[in-house]
Amino acid sequence: MMQFCVLGSGSGGNATIVRAGETVLLVDAGFSAARLRDKMKSAGVEPDELDAILLTHEHADHMKGVHQFTRKHAVRVYATRHTAMCVQEKAPEAPWAYFEKGQSFRIGDIVITPFPTYHDAVDPVGFKFETERSSLGFISDTGQAPGCIAEYLAMVDSLVVESNYDPDMLAATPRRPWPLKQRIASAHGHLSNGQACDLLRRIAHGALKNVVLAHLSVESNSPALAESLMRDTLHDMGLASTSLFCASQDSCLPWIRVC
């Protein structure tokens, strides 16, 4: 059985635990080491249980805790070579392993397939996690989700997908300067609620069990709006029984069984 727990998601930090059998992975480490440990313990996971940390990209809200965490806990960090080169400057003591986009590899009971995403980072990726019986898609921080991404996520049993902003709220917020608004809405920025729904329409299937909306903007989105649009999309696709969750910055979601 594969299950996952979103420890927190947003511009202030991102981290998710994926577990199958005896294998425990941490996807991104975007909180301080102390806060990561607290969040993991609240989810019932001890830091020394981790088999690996996998990084989607090098931005601080996805790798902030790597250095201090790996100084205390002997866990290997997996990333593309270009991402690792950026993070190694801030985490020189971390033990590294490299992967290539599109090439699957195994850690314990889980097969991981990294795939390209479109963000203003050096080499960003999403992940597909698979066991013999289940699959989980994970995509965050991408300004677009073209057909190649949909192909990687086709037929996953559960999906974590970025639903960062509402275009009208982004345009209206006085707290974001215009260049930042342009960056967020660009093809190498973030997915809007509508883009997340569009991706769901292209990969939805009758056995899709869970959808988790992630990386919501505090200023340019609301959980109620993001959930409403996605729930309508699920209903239109005949997937009213699919469970829908909305991750938050400060609190952990409950453990979710992938299928």
Side-chain angles (χ1 to χ4, degrees):
M1 180 184 70
M2 182 159 55
Q3 56 185 334
F4 65 101
C5 177
V6 181
L7 301 180
S9 183
S11 60
N14 296 270
T16 298
I17 300 173
V18 179
R19 166 185 268 167
E22 298 300 316
T23 305
V24 183
L25 309 177
L26 180 64
V27 185
D28 287 333
F31 299 96
S32 69
R35 197 169 178 204
L36 277 173
R37 284 190 288 266
D38 288 344
K39 283 177 170 289
M40 291 176 64
K41 288 180 180 180
S42 72
V45 175
E46 292 297 324
D48 291 332
E49 293 182 66
L50 283 182
D51 293 288
I53 298 172
L54 286 77
L55 298 183
T56 58
H57 62 291
E58 78 278 9
H59 290 168
D61 58 326
H62 294 261
M63 55 68 62
K64 179 179 180 180
V66 168
H67 179 44
Q68 292 299 328
F69 192 92
T70 56
R71 288 185 67 183
K72 188 169 183 178
H73 306 284
V75 56
R76 190 170 297 278
V77 183
Y78 288 72
T80 70
R81 288 184 180 273
H82 289 98
T83 295
M85 287 174 64
C86 294
V87 180
Q88 282 169 343
E89 297 177 2
K90 301 177 181 178
E93 300 174 11
W96 290 90
Y98 308 115
F99 56 72
E100 298 290 338
K101 290 181 290 190
Q103 296 185 11
S104 300
F105 61 99
R106 177 182 291 273
I107 300 176
D109 297 310
I110 303 176
V111 175
I112 303 109
T113 303
F115 55 85
T117 56
Y118 299 83
H119 193 52
D120 56 355
V122 65
D123 199 18
V125 299
F127 295 108
K128 183 177 181 180
F129 301 96
E130 296 175 278
T131 65
E132 291 183 358
R133 298 183 179 180
S134 60
S135 59
L136 167 66
F138 187 98
I139 179 171
S140 181
D141 291 66
T142 185
Q144 55 182 303
C148 59
I149 286 180
E151 289 178 9
Y152 280 108
L153 297 175
M155 301 306 294
V156 293
D157 297 303
S158 293
L159 175 68
V160 178
V161 58
E162 176 177 57
S163 191
N164 181 257
Y165 69 95
D166 170 74
D168 292 335
M169 290 181 67
L170 177 64
T173 179
R175 300 183 63 182
R176 300 279 178 104
W178 178 245
L180 179 57
K181 293 179 181 182
Q182 289 182 305
R183 169 192 172 264
I184 291 169
S186 75
H188 287 81
H190 293 275
L191 288 185
S192 68
N193 295 336
Q195 287 173 305
C197 291
D198 177 67
L199 175 60
L200 190 283
R201 290 186 189 95
R202 288 182 285 136
I203 67 170
H205 59 94
L208 181 65
K209 185 172 182 181
N210 304 290
V211 174
V212 176
L213 305 180
H215 216 300
L216 272 70
S217 168
V218 175
E219 295 88 5
S220 305
N221 207 352
S222 75
L225 178 57
E227 285 189 41
S228 176
L229 291 173
M230 183 58 76
R231 199 171 298 281
D232 287 347
T233 301
L234 290 168
H235 186 271
D236 291 345
M237 299 296 294
L239 299 173
S241 62
T242 299
S243 297
L244 178 62
F245 304 85
C246 193
S248 72
Q249 182 71 90
D250 298 318
S251 60
C252 303
L253 286 179
W255 281 95
I256 300 171
R257 185 169 175 169
V258 170
C259 71

